[in-house]
Amino acid sequence: MTATDRAVELAITAARAASERKAQEIIALDVSEQLVLTDVFLIASGTNERQVGAVVDAVEEAMFAAGAKAIRREGKAEARWVLLDFGDVVVHVQHAEDRVYYALERLWKDCPAIDLPDDARGGDGAAAREEFGDTPPDGTIRLSGGL
């Protein structure tokens, strides 16, 4: 069984909203064969807590406009790792440091990736740092190629 068309459509909607807020390294994983509770995990990073909050707000707004309301939301107050459960899609917005530490991509590496359009993949973080502030002094955390 693969993710439903509706789940993929919602994941793309959420990814585009995250990308508009300059989220980094946005990926979508089809977890439908591993989990019965959801079809898609969408994972995105922010350079700091302020950006994580902005990404979460944008995703919730876009999903509501698409007819999906969050069933559950966790972590918004801390804005380090926010989980938004929309039923068919679970969105993880993580601070870049936490994303590397918890490595969800590695945990779910057996699940196929969902191809996202170019405008829904996010950037490398340069624009986000300019708008939302710098990452920690050790530099930018990039996930591409190391997973």
Side-chain angles (χ1 to χ4, degrees), residues 5-142:
D5 290 341
R6 175 70 175 153
V8 172
E9 176 186 317
L10 288 174
I12 291 170
T13 297
R16 282 186 170 134
S19 186
E20 287 174 7
R21 290 293 179 262
K22 299 176 178 65
Q24 303 171 39
E25 304 282 345
I26 302 169
I27 64 163
L29 300 173
D30 182 342
V31 296
S32 61
E33 290 193 16
Q34 304 292 328
L35 296 173
V36 294
L37 300 175
T38 192
D39 282 353
V40 177
F41 274 0
L42 183 79
I43 306 168
S45 301
T47 57
N48 57 40
E49 290 84 355
R50 185 172 151 218
Q51 185 190 13
V52 168
V55 170
V56 168
D57 290 344
V59 168
E60 284 186 311
E61 215 173 275
M63 294 293 271
F64 184 78
K69 185 176 180 197
I71 299 166
R72 185 171 45 132
R73 175 177 30 157
E74 296 181 16
K76 179 92 191 287
E78 298 83 16
R80 297 284 304 181
W81 180 353
V82 182
L83 180 141
L84 301 169
D85 183 352
F86 294 98
D88 291 338
V89 178
V90 174
V91 179
H92 300 269
V93 183
Q94 297 177 297
H95 191 288
E97 291 174 335
D98 292 352
R99 183 162 176 188
V100 170
Y101 180 79
Y102 290 104
L104 292 179
E105 295 92 339
R106 191 177 70 232
L107 291 174
W108 296 97
K109 68 182 177 201
D110 294 337
C111 297
I114 295 171
D115 191 31
L116 295 172
D118 288 342
D119 66 338
R121 293 183 184 166
D124 66 0
R129 285 190 303 281
E130 186 174 310
E131 181 171 342
F132 295 100
D134 281 335
T135 55
D138 61 339
T140 304
I141 299 168
R142 297 192 189 205

